[in-house]
């Protein structure tokens, strides 16, 4: 599936057969695992991370199925979707558990699958679907990568929400998101409010007033194929099915010194949607745009940046491409630099768009270690690293995200210009650099040697990277599991102690993921890596003990599988009653540990469950039955009897 050009065609003949449909529920775990492996592989290659996997480029919509030109690996998306739908039809509880597992996968594609599933009938409770939609400080509500599924979910979810839940959703939408382009933000707010209205719910006064204010300003259509001179601000009601003609007409208007701002903005976005449109529009309008007046250029800089990203690997004349890029970089965009969300702002800012466009241009041909930065990029990237120019911080975020590639290609330049950006002596710049680096989620030992000191110090500044703390904690953990000669145990233990509670939770999850990845070598990995880590790096003080750390530690014990008794014995002091114990108990049962290790399981349950917090007595009773069957003598244990009464 990974390399095949015909993966989608291979399933056409069988997907509607009765045998295939009957087999889908049994195949669901395999499809999920293969899809996760594909994403993990792409992460190892530096192509995806926890906030961006660009799956929406390869596979526009989860619900609509694959298009002819989709990469072969995306067949796994369709297979996973179809298998989940089949499972939901015959076993909704199991389908819901699969969605719970998707939540543990750190890729936007699995958020898309989750939102798709939440829009299908009543399998996912509406309150839970709303909580997930608004998770991560509403990041996924606004992410471009999840937009198709979010809009579909809003229509399906809104009528099922209580009055308070619907009000909560409207407040989240009205709050918007932090981005320089007010027009882009307002358009996205309008689209989401419009979906609620289309769902037939009654909007609150503020939401309705906002929707009314936006009415007439926005539509979802691509640029019109007809732009009448002198009337370019009037909406053309004809079908927008010929963007190439729109390009010709915009160019004709430009020769008459007419530059319809709205139409240019719409056109640039439309031309950015497909390779074919990007390539044809480049040939038609690149030279024209070079002569655009400054006022228009600034007004359309967001759409222009998106278009430059789309054409970056298709330009046959590089000179106008770089002139357009440098013109955007040279403009004052009239906005400050909000360091609270450096990555989100960077990827939605014209400077960030242009930086990514140049990076894409660079990647049009295979790169080699030590070949140096090309002369077209070196002076521009050097200028972007100048911390005296505040707006260039958006570009520095993207350069930091590509730090490994830059270092391998041009070690001298990266050491001189990029590495200093990671120093915490300049907190704002360091926050941006580490945000970009962790967003990419790549580790390269020779580069890590140069930034080692600042990497360890980042644990002290964990609160400054809230959106990327999970990746940092995981990276710190994986470095500690295989420190080589770069890090000492004391250095790693000190940095881990400096993590706040939420950081330690992510460390425990990273350890569990490491065990899961070991598969058949899980037991050896526990003995050679995880256990030594817990003895020498994991904090001895329980100051960070909380229900969240207790749950993460519990999942780590389950991930140990055959080493479960050893894990329970080693980590039992970190246990405390969980408010949502049902998930942990289900994971325990799925791993079939109660029957294999009844005594350790009883100790495990005794530390994590009490009558006030137990959220699934049915699952607990199933576990106790397994314990009683495997070790009948434990039924007289006071702990067993206490749990039996819950």
């Amino acid at each position: 599936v990974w390399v095949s050009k015909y993966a989608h065609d291979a399933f056409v003949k069988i997907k509607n057969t009765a045998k295939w449909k009957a087999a889908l529920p049994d195949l669901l775990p395999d499809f999920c695992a293969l899809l996760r492996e594909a994403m993990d592989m792409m992460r190892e290659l530096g192509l995806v991370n926890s906030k961006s996997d660009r799956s929406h480029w390869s596979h526009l919509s989860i619900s609509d199925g694959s298009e002819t030109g989709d990469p072969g690996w995306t067949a796994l998306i369709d297979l996973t979707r179809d298998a989940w739908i089949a499972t939901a039809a015959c076993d909704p509880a199991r389908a819901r558990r699969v969605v719970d597992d998707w939540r543990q996968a750190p890729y936007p594609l699995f958020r898309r699958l989750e939102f798709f599933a939440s829009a299908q009938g009543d399998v996912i409770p509406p309150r839970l679907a709303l909580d997930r939609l608004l998770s991560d400080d509403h990041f996924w509500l606004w992410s471009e990568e999840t937009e198709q599924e979010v809009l579909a979910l809003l229509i399906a979810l809104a009528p099922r929400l209580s009055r308070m839940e619907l009000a909560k959703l409207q407040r989240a939408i009205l709050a918007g998101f932090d981005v320089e382009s007010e027009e882009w933000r307002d358009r996205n707010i309008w689209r989401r409010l419009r979906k609620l209205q289309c769902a037939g719910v009654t909007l609150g006064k503020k939401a309705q007033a906002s929707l009314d204010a936006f009415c007439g300003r926005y539509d979802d259509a691509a640029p019109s194929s007809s732009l009448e001179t002198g009337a370019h601000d009037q909406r053309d009601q004809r079908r927008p099915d010929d963007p190439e003609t729109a390009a010709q007409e915009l160019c004709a208007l430009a020769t008459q010194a007419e530059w319809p701002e709205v139409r240019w903005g719409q056109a640039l976005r439309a031309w950015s949607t497909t390779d074919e449109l990007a390539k044809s529009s480049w040939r038609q309008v690149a030279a024209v745009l070079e002569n655009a007046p400054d006022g228009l250029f600034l007004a359309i800089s967001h759409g222009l940046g998106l278009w430059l990203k789309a054409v970056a690997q298709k330009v046959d004349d590089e000179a106008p491409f770089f002139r357009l890029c440098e013109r955007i970089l040279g403009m004052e965009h009239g906005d400050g630099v909000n360091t609270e969300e450096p990555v989100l702002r960077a990827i939605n800012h014209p400077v960030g768009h242009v930086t990514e466009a140049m990076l894409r241009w660079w990647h049009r041909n295979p790169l080699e270690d030590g070949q140096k930065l090309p002369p077209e990029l070196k002076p521009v990237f050097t200028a972007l690293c100048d911390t005296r120019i505040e707006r260039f911080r958006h570009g520095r975020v993207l350069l930091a995200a590509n730090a490994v590639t830059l270092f391998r290609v041009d070690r001298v330049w990266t050491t001189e210009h990029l590495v200093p950006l990671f120093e915490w002596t300049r907190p704002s710049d360091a926050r941006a650099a580490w945000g970009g680096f962790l967003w990419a989620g790549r580790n390269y030992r020779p580069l890590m040697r140069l930034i080692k000191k600042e990497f360890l110090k980042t644990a002290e500044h964990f609160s400054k990277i809230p959106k990327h703390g999970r990746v940092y904690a995981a990276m710190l953990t994986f470095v500690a599991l295989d420190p080589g000669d770069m890090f000492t145990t004391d250095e790693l233990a000190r940095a881990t102690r400096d993590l706040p509670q939420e950081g330690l939770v992510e460390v425990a999850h990273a350890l569990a993921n490491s065990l899961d990845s070991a598969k058949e070598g899980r037991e050896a990995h526990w003995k050679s890596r995880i256990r030594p880590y817990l003895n020498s790096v994991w904090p001895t003080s329980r100051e960070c003990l909380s229900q969240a750390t207790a749950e993460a530690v519990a999942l780590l014990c389950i991930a140990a599988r055959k080493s479960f008794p050893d894990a329970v014995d080693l980590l039992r002091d970190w246990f405390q009653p969980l408010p949502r114990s049902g998930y942990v108990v289900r994971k325990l049962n799925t791993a079939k540990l109660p029957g294999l290790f009844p005594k350790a399981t009883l100790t495990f349950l005794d530390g994590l469950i009490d009558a006030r917090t137990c959220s699934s007595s049915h699952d607990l009773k199933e576990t106790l039955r397994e314990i009683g069957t495997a070790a009948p003598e434990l039924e007289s244990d006071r702990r067993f009897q206490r749990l039996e009464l819950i």
Side-chain angles (χ1 to χ4, degrees):
V1 170
W2 179 263
V3 298
S4 173
K5 296 180 180 179
Y6 311 106
H8 301 291
D9 295 336
F11 299 105
V12 170
K13 294 182 179 179
I14 65 170
K15 68 178 183 179
N16 292 320
T17 64
K19 287 185 178 180
W20 176 253
K21 291 180 179 180
L24 282 173
D26 293 332
L27 292 171
L28 178 57
D30 295 325
F31 293 152
C32 291
L34 287 170
L35 187 58
R36 174 63 186 269
E37 287 178 12
M39 300 306 294
D40 288 342
M41 185 183 302
M42 284 189 270
R43 182 164 190 156
E44 288 298 318
L45 296 173
L47 302 176
V48 307
N49 56 64
S50 62
K51 294 299 184 184
S52 176
D53 58 23
R54 298 172 182 173
S55 61
H56 66 303
W57 289 6
S58 302
H59 200 81
L60 181 62
S61 171
I62 298 294
S63 62
D64 291 343
S66 302
E67 299 295 335
T68 304
D70 286 0
W73 72 269
T74 62
L76 291 171
I77 301 176
D78 290 340
L79 294 172
T80 301
R81 177 203 63 213
D82 292 347
W84 184 88
I85 291 173
T87 302
C90 64
D91 190 348
R94 182 179 170 221
R96 189 160 51 248
R97 290 196 293 271
V98 170
V99 175
D100 287 340
D101 290 337
W102 287 346
R103 293 186 186 122
Q104 308 306 313
Y107 305 111
L109 173 56
F110 286 91
R111 302 292 79 70
R112 297 177 63 198
L113 283 166
E114 180 186 345
F115 295 154
F116 166 81
S118 298
Q120 311 305 309
D122 299 321
V123 176
I124 307 301
R127 183 174 182 179
L128 180 58
L130 178 63
D131 288 345
R132 291 301 300 170
L133 178 61
L134 302 183
S135 65
D136 293 333
D137 291 335
H138 306 172
F139 180 88
W140 303 112
L141 175 64
W142 302 109
S143 172
E144 180 184 6
E145 309 216 359
T146 56
E147 184 173 41
Q148 290 291 328
E149 286 68 43
V150 165
L151 295 178
L153 176 58
L154 289 175
I155 292 177
L157 182 62
R160 300 166 57 208
L161 296 175
S162 68
R163 182 182 300 178
M164 292 182 63
E165 290 165 345
L166 183 60
K168 179 180 179 181
L169 175 57
Q170 291 178 66
R171 287 195 299 271
I173 294 174
L174 290 172
F177 56 107
D178 200 5
V179 67
E180 278 80 0
S181 173
E182 291 187 9
E183 188 270 342
W184 193 54
R185 180 197 62 201
D186 291 348
R187 179 185 293 274
N188 278 278
I189 293 174
W190 171 81
R191 292 190 73 188
R192 283 150 182 78
L193 290 176
R194 186 77 177 91
K195 294 301 180 183
L196 296 186
Q197 187 182 59
C198 291
V201 300
T202 301
L203 299 180
K205 291 183 179 179
K206 289 184 178 180
Q208 188 62 56
S210 296
L211 187 60
D212 292 342
F214 292 142
C215 184
R217 284 177 57 186
Y218 304 123
D219 60 40
D220 287 330
S224 168
S225 61
S226 177
L227 300 170
E228 298 180 8
T229 304
H232 51 257
D233 288 330
Q234 299 298 317
R235 296 190 180 275
D236 191 316
Q237 299 301 318
R238 281 180 279 178
R239 284 172 53 85
D241 55 2
D242 192 359
E244 289 195 21
T245 301
Q248 295 170 4
E249 294 177 348
L250 282 169
C251 291
L253 288 174
T255 63
Q256 302 172 36
E258 291 198 46
W259 299 87
E261 175 186 319
V262 173
R263 293 303 188 189
W264 271 106
Q266 290 176 329
L268 289 165
R269 286 177 172 81
W271 296 332
S272 304
T273 56
T274 70
D275 289 349
E276 183 181 352
L277 285 175
K279 189 174 183 178
S280 63
S281 62
W282 171 258
R283 291 195 299 265
Q284 290 179 278
V285 306
V288 174
L289 278 169
E290 284 196 78
N291 297 316
D294 288 344
L296 173 81
F297 212 83
L298 183 60
I300 65 172
S301 58
H302 179 81
L304 184 57
L306 291 173
W307 180 67
L308 287 171
K309 286 197 300 182
V311 304
Q313 295 185 329
K314 303 165 187 65
V315 297
D316 47 15
D317 186 358
E318 296 163 357
F321 172 77
F322 279 99
R323 285 196 294 268
L324 289 171
C325 287
E326 290 176 14
R327 187 174 175 188
I328 290 179
L329 293 177
M331 304 189 87
E332 291 287 348
H333 295 275
D335 46 35
V337 179
N338 185 337
T339 57
E340 295 298 323
E341 291 281 359
V343 173
L344 182 61
R345 291 176 71 84
I347 63 178
N348 290 306
H349 191 277
V351 171
H353 291 326
V354 166
T355 305
E356 187 172 351
M358 290 187 288
L359 287 165
R360 290 187 185 184
W361 174 86
W362 186 35
H363 281 83
R364 73 197 189 285
N365 295 316
L367 303 178
E368 297 179 4
D369 287 350
Q371 72 181 96
K372 307 298 183 185
L373 277 171
E376 296 91 341
L377 292 180
K378 191 171 184 178
V380 183
F381 284 3
T382 300
L384 288 174
C385 290
D386 187 346
T387 57
R388 294 171 297 180
I389 305 177
E390 191 178 58
R391 70 179 181 278
F392 282 0
R393 187 176 296 157
H394 302 299
R396 293 193 284 274
V397 169
L398 275 300
L399 293 181
N402 287 268
V404 171
T405 301
L406 287 163
F407 183 78
R408 293 184 63 171
V409 171
D410 198 330
R411 181 173 300 206
V412 173
W413 181 89
T414 305
T415 302
E416 180 180 355
H417 296 284
L418 195 58
V419 167
L421 301 178
F422 292 94
E423 296 175 3
W424 281 104
T425 51
R426 295 190 302 273
S428 295
D429 290 306
R431 182 202 297 256
W434 282 108
F437 183 79
L438 294 169
W439 178 56
R442 296 179 62 194
N443 183 14
Y444 183 59
R445 283 184 177 272
L447 174 61
M448 184 60 74
R449 287 187 183 278
L450 290 182
I451 60 176
K452 167 189 166 180
K453 178 182 176 183
E454 302 303 323
F455 174 72
L456 293 171
K457 193 178 293 184
T458 302
E460 302 174 23
H461 299 274
F462 192 87
S463 62
K464 296 184 176 66
I465 53 168
K467 298 299 182 183
H468 311 289
R470 174 181 297 180
V471 180
Y472 175 75
M475 193 175 289
L476 178 63
T477 304
F478 292 134
V479 164
L481 291 174
D482 186 18
D485 61 353
M486 191 186 312
F487 296 91
T488 68
T489 300
D490 286 344
E491 288 173 334
L492 294 165
R494 190 179 309 115
T496 305
R497 286 197 305 269
D498 287 338
L499 291 172
Q501 179 189 108
E502 57 269 29
L504 205 59
V505 169
E506 297 302 339
V507 168
H509 286 314
L511 292 171
N513 290 338
S514 177
L515 280 166
D516 287 335
S517 299
K519 296 183 179 178
E520 288 79 7
R522 190 189 300 258
E523 190 173 6
H525 189 59
W526 168 266
K527 292 178 180 178
S528 65
R529 300 288 188 186
I530 306 297
R531 199 180 203 287
Y533 173 94
L534 294 171
N535 283 326
S536 59
V537 178
W538 183 263
T540 55
S541 169
R542 294 194 297 152
E543 291 180 0
C544 287
L545 177 59
S546 68
Q547 291 174 332
T549 51
E551 181 180 63
V553 164
L555 294 173
L556 171 58
C557 291
I558 294 171
R561 294 300 195 271
K562 292 182 180 180
S563 301
F564 177 72
D566 191 24
V568 170
D569 185 60
L570 196 61
L571 294 166
R572 61 192 298 179
D573 287 343
W574 289 82
F575 293 169
Q576 67 170 251
L578 301 178
R580 297 179 302 275
S581 59
Y583 176 69
V584 170
V585 175
R586 285 195 298 272
K587 294 284 283 187
L588 182 75
N589 292 341
T590 301
K592 302 186 185 306
L593 295 175
L596 292 172
F597 308 109
K599 186 175 181 180
T601 299
L602 186 57
T603 301
F604 180 85
L605 296 175
D606 185 57
L608 296 168
I609 296 177
D610 66 17
R612 295 169 300 168
T613 63
C614 181
S615 61
S616 179
S617 58
H618 173 75
D619 292 315
L620 177 59
K621 291 184 185 304
E622 179 183 338
T623 310
L624 293 175
R625 279 197 300 270
E626 290 291 329
I627 293 174
T629 300
E633 69 278 7
L634 291 177
E635 292 182 352
S636 60
D637 190 299
R638 60 173 181 78
R639 298 172 298 173
F640 186 98
Q641 295 172 353
R642 179 184 71 82
L643 292 167
E644 202 171 28
L645 294 174
I646 292 177

